[in-house]
Amino acid sequence: MMRAINVVTGVRPFDIARIADLGDVRFSNLFSLDVAIKEIEKHFTAIAASGVMPLAVVATSFVTYPILRALAGYRKEPISNNPYQARTTPTHGRNTRARNSTMARPSIGD
């Protein structure tokens, strides 16, 4: 949820930009990173297809790869990821190709 005003800076994002909180991606299987990646990409493809450029704030770095893949097909300009992280990245999903720590390399190649 995005607040109408930042209580520290006084900035009102809804007054200075056309911005909306579209909510979270809903997953059909919470225990499969491979399925989650496909569902994230599908969700962001639908947003990009409508002409909206999403701003995503994510809690784990593996989420950025399917978002970038979805947006790349709808942008003529290069797109990028600006990671800000205040913790170490754990390696989740040891039994799957998709891991928290593996998403930077494929996104650079794509």
Side-chain angles (χ1 to χ4, degrees), residues 22 25 36-54 63 65-75:
L22 301 178
V25 177
I37 288 169
K38 290 176 185 170
E39 291 176 343
I40 293 165
E41 187 171 346
K42 180 180 176 183
H43 182 81
F44 278 87
T45 296
I47 293 170
S50 71
V52 173
M53 174 49 70
V63 174
Y65 178 58
I67 294 172
L68 291 172
R69 283 181 52 97
L71 300 181
Y74 291 91
R75 301 290 297 176

Side-chain angles (χ1 to χ4, degrees), residues 33 91-100:
L33 290 178
T91 302
H92 298 297
R94 294 186 191 279
N95 296 325
T96 181
R97 184 180 162 286
R99 293 188 191 163
N100 204 13

Side-chain angles (χ1 to χ4, degrees), residues 4-12:
I5 186 170
N6 181 303
V7 295
V8 175
T9 64
V11 172
R12 298 175 180 269

Side-chain angles (χ1 to χ4, degrees), residues 65 69 97 99 101-110:
Y65 178 58
R69 283 181 52 97
R97 184 180 162 286
R99 293 188 191 163
S101 58
T102 62
M103 289 299 127
R105 185 171 204 153
S107 63
I108 292 168
D110 284 356

Side-chain angles (χ1 to χ4, degrees), residues 17-95:
R18 290 179 52 197
I19 194 165
D21 187 341
L22 301 178
D24 297 331
V25 177
R26 301 287 178 220
F27 299 111
S28 63
N29 183 341
L30 296 175
F31 302 103
S32 172
L33 290 178
D34 294 325
V35 171
I37 288 169
K38 290 176 185 170
E39 291 176 343
I40 293 165
E41 187 171 346
K42 180 180 176 183
H43 182 81
F44 278 87
T45 296
I47 293 170
S50 71
V52 173
M53 174 49 70
L55 168 67
V57 178
V58 301
T60 183
S61 58
F62 93 89
V63 174
T64 58
Y65 178 58
I67 294 172
L68 291 172
R69 283 181 52 97
L71 300 181
Y74 291 91
R75 301 290 297 176
K76 292 183 176 149
E77 308 88 16
I79 57 175
S80 69
N81 173 28
N82 296 309
Y84 295 95
Q85 195 164 324
R87 58 169 174 69
T88 59
T89 301
T91 302
H92 298 297
R94 294 186 191 279
N95 296 325

